[in-house]
Amino acid sequence: MKKPIIVANWKMNLSIGEREDLASEFKKQFGKIEDKDIVICPSAISLMQVASIIGTSFISLGAQDVFWEESGAYTGEISPSILHDLDCRYVIVGHSERRHYLAETNEMINKKVDACLDNNIIPILCIGETRKERHDGQTDNILISQLRGGLKKVDIVGDEQIVIAYEPVWAIGSGSVVESSELDKVLTLIKQSLIDMYPLTIVQNNVRIVYGGSVDADNVANFSKLKLLDGFLIGGASLDIDKFNKLVKKI
Ligand code: PGA
């Protein structure tokens, strides 16, 4: 594992007051942790609030989505430069919930990844197969096409970073997790696909691969043993400070 990254994806949960309380708890528990990257991704409306709470601590801020244009007539969207100005270091891009409910395509996701890198933001590119695709033996094809589609013509240069999040759709919020041995095979596939697209040194130094989908304090230690895994994207278990704390301690 490289320096582990643990991303708390709060999704569209919690009231404004609850987000304030939870962000303060995060700061208390993790604000001084340097050997793990802890990232909070609240709803866009709470980015400023969470940014001011975490302040200059070691916790990073992330957004749950971004638009690819810099400005203009794009009602409801948020530009990457605004996220950058709000101190967002990361943006989750192409989460399966957005692919599913908002019909995001690989083409749209690809533009978002590019826009992030152009604005010094680290994209967390989510890929993952549905239960049906898995059942039909399509997992590898889906993952490769989402990876290639999301990263089409994307250069990673200098110290630019990206994170690839493998999140099997059937595991998200379901309480079912992937078997460790299966995850290991998927990580190998992702790593090999990245090596086919980028120089080895870039894959080794600039890309981290994380897993998401019903990760909790009970199953995280088992996954942490996998050499190719660099961290986790956590939904439900990031909404409770005690659960999240237990989980982080096991990584
Ligand atoms: P979960 O969500 O941990 O609640 O399964 C993970 C995610 O969607 O990022």
Side-chain angles (χ1 to χ4, degrees), residues 102-220:
L102 283 303
E104 280 197 8
T105 61
N106 283 333
E107 290 71 29
M108 293 157 80
I109 291 160
N110 180 231
K111 290 191 214 175
K112 293 180 178 196
V113 169
D114 237 350
C116 286
L117 292 174
D118 284 349
N119 285 275
N120 285 318
I121 294 173
I122 302 171
I124 302 171
L125 170 61
C126 300
I127 60 172
E129 81 288 359
T130 63
R131 190 179 294 281
K132 175 159 191 324
E133 288 160 347
R134 179 170 192 252
H135 184 259
D136 294 346
Q138 286 302 311
T139 300
D140 291 7
N141 289 342
I142 294 291
L143 296 182
I144 291 171
S145 84
Q146 291 182 346
L147 197 61
R148 289 190 167 268
L151 294 176
K152 194 170 172 187
K153 297 195 180 146
V154 171
D155 282 331
I156 307 171
V157 290
D159 58 2
E160 284 178 347
Q161 299 280 321
I162 66 164
V163 177
I164 305 296
Y166 170 54
E167 297 210 299
V169 180
W170 51 271
I172 296 175
S174 65
S176 320
V177 286
V178 69
E179 292 284 328
S180 227
S181 55
E182 196 180 326
L183 178 55
D184 203 29
K185 280 192 200 134
V186 168
L187 295 171
T188 306
L189 175 84
I190 293 173
K191 180 102 188 240
Q192 189 52 56
S193 306
L194 289 166
I195 291 170
D196 293 343
M197 298 165 75
Y198 296 101
L200 185 60
T201 50
I202 291 287
V203 177
Q204 279 168 343
N205 301 327
N206 302 46
V207 185
R208 283 183 286 185
I209 309 174
V210 305
Y211 169 74
S214 296
V215 177
D216 61 25
D218 294 328
N219 56 35
V220 74

Side-chain angles (χ1 to χ4, degrees), residues 40-42 44 47 61-66 83 88-93:
I40 303 179
C41 298
L47 285 169
L61 187 64
Q64 296 177 11
D65 185 36
V66 64
L83 292 181
C88 280
R89 234 183 132 219
Y90 296 86
V91 174
I92 298 172
V93 176

Side-chain angles (χ1 to χ4, degrees), residues 67-72 74 78-82 115-116 118-119:
F67 194 56
W68 55 81
E69 295 289 351
E70 278 312 319
S71 66
Y74 304 106
I78 302 177
S79 73
S81 55
I82 291 282
C116 286
D118 284 349
N119 285 275

Side-chain angles (χ1 to χ4, degrees), residues 48-66:
M48 279 177 87
Q49 173 198 32
V50 173
S52 84
I53 293 168
I54 59 178
T56 55
S57 74
F58 284 107
I59 299 174
S60 299
L61 187 64
Q64 296 177 11
D65 185 36
V66 64

